[in-house]
Amino acid sequence: MDYSWLMFLFIALLIDNPIASALFVTDISVPEIVDFRDNVTLSCSYDMRGHTLNSVKWYKDHEEFFRYSPLTSPIYMTFGVPGLQVLDGKYLCNESSCRLDLSLQGAKSTGLYKCEVSGDAPHFKLADKADNMTVAALPQIDPLIESFNSMYRMEEFLSATCSSDYSSLPTRLTWFINGEQPLLGELHPTTDTSIAAHDYVLRRQRLQVHFYLQGQRFFQAGKILELKCVAEIENYPELRREKTLSASLSQFDNFNNQMPLRHANANSGASQWSSLSGRTSLISAILAAVLLIHCLRRLS
């Protein structure tokens, strides 16, 4: 029995009915981590594959907060969900993409954000993609280096402190001295200060380094001392912040440092010798005069 006509009919149906294929969400853009003080932009792109777009819906932790429905009125709708607010007029959706801006509300804005796309009748195909977003209190400024001067001498003792900005995520501080990390004995234990604010526990790290300006790492550095402090948050390299300060480094010369004192001693000795010589000459003159008078009396 010839079934070729059935195969032809099947191919014809596929060509005439492209909506039988699936639609896809090709991309979703959700920031991995953001500061609670920032506004964020979410977006997703999709390929309808011949389907008519029925709606695009955005969810946070399975709660719908935004809908785009081009076949109904109004075409845009927003819904109240704890932790976020869709900014008025800050959204734009079409047949291939949907973008919107959010205002965040602290730690409760953290969650799973999903973009769901649906096709229209008769198949009502669905496709979605989701990604997590962490909302935290992130450092806003570079680390602060305290007790660092603009000039040092070799053999001098240096002590400086690095402080991170407050953050709700653990911060790790690292010192670098002319590009090298300090020795273990040159670091004090890290101290931690915490405060409660904005529904977060914010922590500030402080790390002190202390050392003598001696050894090859300074002799080979020429006349520059560079001190750098790096603040990092684990798993988020893009949040790395650092501060670098430089100072002039001069060689400590005992001989030259003592020269003014030696010159002063030499001048003092010369002055004393000159004074002593003057006194000796005066005494000699007096003795000579006394002797002369004594001789004249004897002759007379």
Side-chain angles (χ1 to χ4, degrees):
M1 185 176 181
D2 187 4
Y3 294 100
S4 60
W5 66 275
L6 290 175
M7 181 63 70
F8 177 79
L9 180 61
F10 178 72
I11 294 173
L13 287 172
L14 288 178
I15 294 174
D16 293 338
N17 296 276
I19 59 173
S21 61
L23 58 86
F24 297 93
V25 176
T26 56
D27 183 58
I28 185 171
S29 177
V30 175
E32 182 181 9
I33 185 167
V34 294
D35 186 79
F36 76 98
R37 288 157 285 208
D38 295 339
N39 294 332
V40 299
T41 299
L42 309 182
S43 67
C44 69
S45 302
Y46 32 88
D47 184 350
M48 298 305 299
R49 295 292 179 94
H51 295 269
T52 299
L53 178 63
N54 178 273
S55 68
V56 179
K57 299 178 181 180
W58 280 93
Y59 298 85
K60 176 187 175 292
D61 297 331
H62 310 296
E63 290 188 73
E64 184 183 1
F65 63 86
F66 178 84
R67 182 185 301 175
Y68 168 61
S69 304
L71 303 179
T72 62
S73 181
I75 62 173
Y76 291 110
M77 296 181 66
T78 60
F79 308 92
V81 171
L84 59 88
Q85 179 181 354
V86 179
L87 296 176
D88 291 340
K90 297 293 185 178
Y91 37 78
L92 179 63
C93 303
N94 53 40
E95 292 296 316
S96 60
S97 65
C98 187
R99 177 186 60 79
L100 60 152
D101 291 350
L102 303 180
S103 172
L104 304 176
Q105 298 174 4
K108 53 182 177 283
S109 301
T110 294
L112 180 69
Y113 289 78
K114 182 175 73 173
C115 174
E116 180 188 85
V117 180
S118 65
D120 200 25
H123 296 283
F124 295 102
K125 293 286 186 177
L126 285 176
D128 63 68
K129 274 193 175 181
D131 214 342
N132 285 294
M133 180 169 69
T134 299
V135 181
L138 302 179
Q140 300 296 295
I141 60 174
D142 294 335
L144 175 66
I145 297 178
E146 300 172 280
S147 303
F148 186 77
N149 301 323
S150 60
M151 183 178 296
Y152 290 93
R153 288 186 179 275
M154 290 298 295
E155 307 297 336
E156 199 170 342
F157 182 75
L158 186 153
S159 178
T161 302
C162 178
S163 302
S164 69
D165 191 16
Y166 282 100
S167 171
S168 62
L169 300 179
T171 303
R172 183 178 71 252
L173 295 177
T174 306
W175 278 107
F176 291 91
I177 306 168
N178 286 351
E180 299 180 4
Q181 292 193 33
L183 303 176
L184 185 61
E186 294 176 334
L187 294 172
H188 280 292
T190 303
T191 59
D192 187 319
T193 302
S194 62
I195 59 173
H198 310 292
D199 296 327
Y200 293 100
V201 175
L202 306 180
R203 290 183 169 85
R204 183 181 194 182
Q205 307 292 323
R206 291 171 62 88
L207 181 61
Q208 187 181 52
V209 64
H210 54 96
F211 54 90
Y212 284 96
L213 293 163
Q214 57 189 14
Q216 291 301 314
R217 59 180 169 179
F218 302 112
F219 283 110
Q220 295 175 354
K223 297 182 179 180
I224 298 296
L225 168 63
E226 184 181 88
L227 211 57
K228 178 168 68 175
C229 181
V230 177
E232 297 174 288
I233 295 177
E234 189 175 3
N235 299 324
Y236 299 105
E238 68 274 16
L239 299 179
R240 172 188 170 112
R241 287 180 173 270
E242 62 181 57
K243 182 71 172 182
T244 301
L245 295 179
S246 297
S248 299
L249 186 60
S250 61
Q251 298 294 328
F252 189 86
D253 191 327
N254 286 322
F255 177 78
N256 289 333
N257 285 338
Q258 294 300 321
M259 281 300 290
L261 182 59
R262 291 184 179 183
H263 286 315
N265 289 340
N267 291 336
S268 176
S271 177
Q272 291 176 1
W273 174 254
S274 177
S275 176
L276 181 60
S277 298
R279 292 178 182 177
T280 303
S281 298
L282 179 59
I283 294 172
S284 297
I286 294 173
L287 290 175
V290 171
L291 182 59
L292 179 60
I293 293 171
H294 179 71
C295 290
L296 289 175
R297 285 179 177 178
R298 289 187 65 182
L299 291 174
S300 61

